[in-house]
Amino acid sequence: MGSARPLRIGITCYPSVGGSGILASALGEELARRGHEAHFISYERPFRLPAGAPRLFYHPVVINDYGLFKYPDYTLPLSVKMAEVSRDHALDVLHVHYAVPHATAAILARSMLAPPHRPRVVTTLHGTDTTLLGRDPGYGPAIRHALRQSDAVTTVSAFLERETRELLAVDRRIDVIHNFFEPRPARRTREEVRRELGVGKEALLLHASNLRPLKRIDLLLESVARIRPAQSFKLVILAGADFSPFAPGVRRLGLSDRVVVRENVGDIEDYLQAADLGLFTSDMESFCLSILEAMCFSCPSVATAVGGIPEVVESGRSGLLVPPGDADAIARAVESLVADPGRRQELGREAHRRARSLFSADVIVTKYEELYRRVCAAPETA
Ligand code: GMT
């Protein structure tokens, strides 16, 4: 950063378990560590945000429930809080993660302020804000407007940049800044965690997600049910949502002694370091942060070749990619690595090297800092 003055960045994200919130929290933490101020503005404190860290602040958005409204409104109180924090803390930038409704709220907040108090607005698209909501006629025009009005727009993969241009007809500069992950030290040993999960000599497969339909938990279970020998693995599912709707599927497929579920785990590092292989069966991912989290622990993944995943994993070098929706292909790829620990380790070593060289805080946070400085030096977007 040299001798440039520290920046004051407002960050808005979904604070619950989910890749965009995890990324935004980690970014704020790293910015504060580098001497900047990071002000989180959201309805809850992001769950991985450390308490008491210097230069890291949280400003809650209070939502009142008025009887007149059938649906509670978040966008307006969020924009008012964004304007208030921007003015009171002289924010340079409002950086919003996930366009809906955060980008719209930020544009509104900026227009509420007199010119000297106006922050620049940076919008980071994470995935379904383009690929799902961008197609929705009830959202698309508002997203397109907010992207045009933002001072900078970033996407977490080149795939998502292309999708955004195509689906939202956005003709402006978009910076691709991939996700990063900086693991925290595990709190327990690998052996302790494997003991907790009841894993002996079997290979430990790991899946982590919020279980939404596009994660294809049905396909995940169907695929592991086809792995032979059936006793060669256990699968731990780190569920960021209630797993009970999938429990009948586990029983029906005879997987009750193969699948262990842990819901809403904060210390994912404990499990990541204990795993041998990640397994991700999504129909769509703009990036798939969970794959990167595993790579940081030298754990390669078998994953579907969709969206931005091929930017994260080079198939055959740092993991194995398989066609989407193909339970047999997934099972065969997993079997090949369960049976060959040497090959697994080779892929794991390359996965770790790739994670550190392309997707570390050092590389990625520096890109965000450069972007902030660029938009601050440029004239305001009208
Ligand atoms: O866009 C979403 O579905 C939500 C978002 C989240 O909060 O989990 O996920 C997206 O952002 C992550 C972080 O950038 C990416 O790793 C995920 O691939 C992406 N999800 C999809 O594209 C479906």
Side-chain angles (χ1 to χ4, degrees):
M1 202 171 70
S3 58
R5 81 166 171 84
L7 297 167
R8 291 180 285 263
I9 312 292
I11 297 181
T12 291
C13 63
Y14 283 107
S16 53
V17 183
S20 58
I22 293 173
L23 188 279
S25 306
L27 175 59
E29 204 181 327
E30 289 293 333
L31 289 169
R33 193 170 295 147
R34 289 171 179 223
H36 305 292
E37 282 182 19
H39 294 261
F40 281 82
I41 306 165
S42 187
Y43 60 85
E44 254 170 34
R45 191 182 172 87
F47 85 106
R48 265 177 77 97
L49 201 63
R55 297 177 294 280
L56 209 49
F57 307 93
Y58 167 58
H59 307 272
V61 178
V62 178
I63 307 161
N64 290 318
D65 193 3
Y66 292 105
L68 181 66
F69 298 164
K70 184 166 175 192
Y71 306 105
D73 170 56
Y74 178 50
T75 311
L76 292 184
L78 173 62
S79 66
V80 168
K81 181 57 81 174
M82 284 171 158
E84 190 182 299
V85 176
S86 299
R87 190 192 52 230
D88 294 352
H89 296 273
L91 295 188
D92 296 293
V93 172
L94 272 175
H95 186 176
V96 296
H97 293 263
Y98 205 86
V100 180
H102 305 146
T104 301
I107 300 303
L108 185 56
R110 189 181 63 188
S111 67
M112 284 181 210
L113 294 162
H117 300 297
R118 281 186 196 147
R120 299 293 194 262
V121 173
V122 174
T123 299
T124 291
L125 295 163
H126 279 270
T128 50
D129 37 6
T130 285
T131 56
L132 184 68
L133 299 179
R135 293 175 204 269
D136 184 334
Y139 283 94
I143 299 171
R144 185 179 311 118
H145 176 72
L147 296 182
R148 285 184 179 154
Q149 292 295 311
S150 297
D151 295 284
V153 173
T154 81
T155 57
V156 298
S157 61
F159 159 79
L160 191 58
E161 185 214 343
R162 290 191 299 273
E163 287 289 291
T164 302
R165 290 199 185 287
E166 202 176 307
L167 287 172
L168 284 157
V170 176
D171 177 24
R172 59 157 299 155
R173 176 172 180 164
I174 296 178
D175 291 82
V176 176
I177 304 185
H178 287 114
N179 284 330
F180 72 95
F181 186 68
E182 284 298 320
R184 297 177 183 164
R187 294 185 180 194
R188 292 179 288 160
T189 65
R190 179 177 161 90
E191 288 65 37
E192 279 173 316
V193 177
R194 290 176 75 98
R195 214 173 304 128
E196 176 218 305
L197 298 173
V199 179
K201 289 200 180 343
E202 311 96 313
L204 178 59
L205 316 183
L206 177 141
H207 173 88
S209 78
N210 50 23
L211 313 180
R212 284 188 302 163
L214 56 76
K215 304 289 175 182
R216 295 295 310 272
I217 302 304
D218 58 329
L219 179 65
L220 175 79
L221 298 175
E222 185 66 46
S223 305
V224 297
R226 296 183 191 193
I227 295 173
R228 296 290 174 270
Q231 305 298 311
S232 62
F233 76 94
K234 276 207 171 171
L235 168 68
V236 61
I237 299 179
L238 304 183
D242 174 19
F243 188 78
S244 61
F246 303 99
V250 172
R251 287 192 293 273
R252 181 175 52 78
L253 291 161
L255 290 168
S256 299
D257 67 339
R258 296 293 101 197
V259 174
V260 188
V261 178
R262 294 287 180 268
E263 285 178 2
N264 298 315
V265 169
D267 302 324
I268 49 164
E269 284 84 355
D270 282 12
Y271 295 93
L272 292 170
Q273 51 119 21
D276 298 303
L277 193 60
L279 184 51
F280 299 93
T281 49
S282 299
D283 276 343
M284 177 50 65
E285 289 289 346
S286 63
F287 185 92
C288 199
L289 187 58
S290 301
I291 294 181
L292 175 59
E293 291 169 350
M295 288 165 77
C296 289
F297 285 88
S298 302
C299 174
S301 290
V302 169
T304 41
V306 294
I309 289 181
E311 295 171 50
V312 184
V313 174
E314 280 183 305
S315 191
R317 279 177 62 82
S318 44
L320 293 182
L321 300 186
V322 291
D326 188 339
D328 270 328
I330 295 167
R332 298 296 85 78
V334 172
E335 276 171 7
S336 73
L337 295 182
V338 165
D340 190 348
R343 175 86 177 115
R344 221 162 59 211
Q345 278 162 14
E346 206 178 294
L347 294 174
R349 265 195 302 276
E350 177 56 22
H352 183 262
R353 193 204 59 73
R354 188 169 168 81
R356 298 313 302 159
S357 64
L358 295 180
F359 310 122
S360 68
D362 260 2
V363 175
I364 300 298
V365 178
T366 306
K367 291 187 183 178
Y368 279 119
E369 281 180 305
E370 286 165 4
L371 179 95
Y372 297 152
R373 300 235 180 253
R374 190 184 85 212
V375 294
C376 287
E380 265 187 71
T381 301

